[in-house]
Amino acid sequence: MERTPKIVIEHLNFTYDDGTESLLDVSSTIYANEITVIFGPAGGGKSTLLRVINRLNDLAAGKSMTGRVLLDGQDIYAKEVDVTALRRKVGIVFAQPQPLPLSLRANIEYGPRLAGVRDKQKLDQLVEQSLTQAALWDEVKDRLNDSGYALSGGQQQRLCLARVLALEPEVILMDEPMSGLDPLSTAKIEDSMQQLKQLYTIVIAPHNIQQAARVADNAAFFLQGRLIEEGTGKQLFTKPKDKRTEDYIMGRFG
Amino acid sequence: MSRFAIQRLGIGFLVLVTIAVIVPIVLVVGTIVVQGLAAINGEFLFSAPRNGMREGGIWPAIVGTFWLTIGTAIFSVPLGVAIAIYLSEYARDNRFTRMIRLAIINLAGVPSIVYGLFGLGLFVLALGFGSSILAGSLTLSIMTLPVIISTAEEALRSVPQSFRTVSISLGGTKWQTIRKVVLPNALPGIITGVILGLERAAGETAPILFTVAAFYLPTLPDSLLDKSMALPYHLFVISTQVPGMPLQLQFGTALVLMAFVLSMTLIATIIRSYYRRKRVW
Ligand SMILES: Nc1ncnc2c1ncn2[C@@H]1O[C@H](COP(=O)(O)OP(=O)(O)OP(=O)(O)O)[C@@H](O)[C@H]1O
Ligand SMILES: [Mg+2]
């Protein structure tokens, strides 16, 4: 199958205001309708990269950044870019499930409403569709008016995934989305990811190597802000070319 | 002495201190309630004072304090909350904003008579509002603003940062995020601060002394530029300035003022505990 580049990262450098160089000359391509895994030891810059891709790091005061990030060939840091529209196109799921203090339904409708969707039918349809895609619909369809906090941690995380899906995004970023979850919830989310990649481009920073190897179509190994090696999941996790990648995968450091 | 004995001594001391604090409060409040209740009746509450205030009621003072409180709320709440939003959500932490915060903290400690004189100079004389409800409300607003700003800012800051990040990540603008997530979750704290600030305004005498209060004015105000009687000033006047004043009327007035202020505290407490129980984060 022909692979379509979705996101192209060119010579990206990112430094926080305290001088931490979190990304150093990173260049990479993320392909559409694939699951791209970003992995590596703590502090490698995984979260920073994800937050750069949807410009959430605009919020970090005093950061400095050079290089380019292209989405469908468009520079997302260009002046004329509508940042809120970009964030709807590139949704993110965080490590900690973070429902807003609203009902389940309102959590999911939050993004679309901000985008100006008012039609009740459309909203209902988005709620059902996104909860179904996130494998949560059957568990909550009778209690949509309950608080988002009335759910278990695993359900909350799927709610957060559904909330992103309701934006009808093109890219979904997931930053260690399974870190606090039980194996069953993890399995459910991994299953839905396999469905979701038909429709979306997924970039995930998994919280362990096993998961990285399980879900990766494509993988990139980050060490201290540098992209060390990238390749297909199969190649990287079975025959890594770089010694440092191999050491990390074999559990020799990190 | 054994450790046990020392501990009992310590506890005994604490109990004593507590009693020493509570007893005067109970005595003061108790006296006012018992003595004041005897004065309270329909005529006292709803009629104007007569015969040099030695007879009749306190209705004009109640109405005056009511309008002053409303006026103060109208001027100080929107402005105070707007400043708090600016400080908590927009302002960078730099020398300028630190200076503003310092000024606000210091303003809260300025004696109320100073606000009164400031109001006299600015609103009554320079701006030409005269001694009026308008000038009084503005003066009380300036006194109340620091309280509202600091409690509202604290309430805004206590909303978890993650809510803001989530809202922004879902395509919210900064303002949408403030309006839909930050403000609603800070509202109980803001309301509490507003009520406590207004309560202080309602009970103050010095700021209204030169800016609004009429010594003896049995008619009700009918415009913002009218003078008016007000409960705290009325109480001051009948307690110290009018010879031969029946004690009962003084206690009655004190009770009404206290009830006015305490009921505001009660409302603030109810709002706070209601939302605290509902809060999920
Ligand atoms: N807001 C921030 N301000 C300053 N430095 C930061 C900030 N966020 C991250 N860093 C630093 O940037 C570097 C990369 O952090 P990042 O969170 O991107 O790594 P990560 O690969 O996601 O790590 P982890 O596996 O622990 O999540 C680290 O050295 C970290 O300390
Ligand atoms: Mg991280």
Side-chain angles (χ1 to χ4, degrees), chain A residues 16-23 40-49 57 60 175-176 205 222 225:
Chain A
Y16 285 103
D17 66 336
D18 59 0
T20 316
E21 294 183 317
S22 301
L23 293 172
K46 306 181 291 290
S47 302
T48 305
L49 180 65
N57 256 341
D175 193 355
E176 305 188 41
F222 278 78

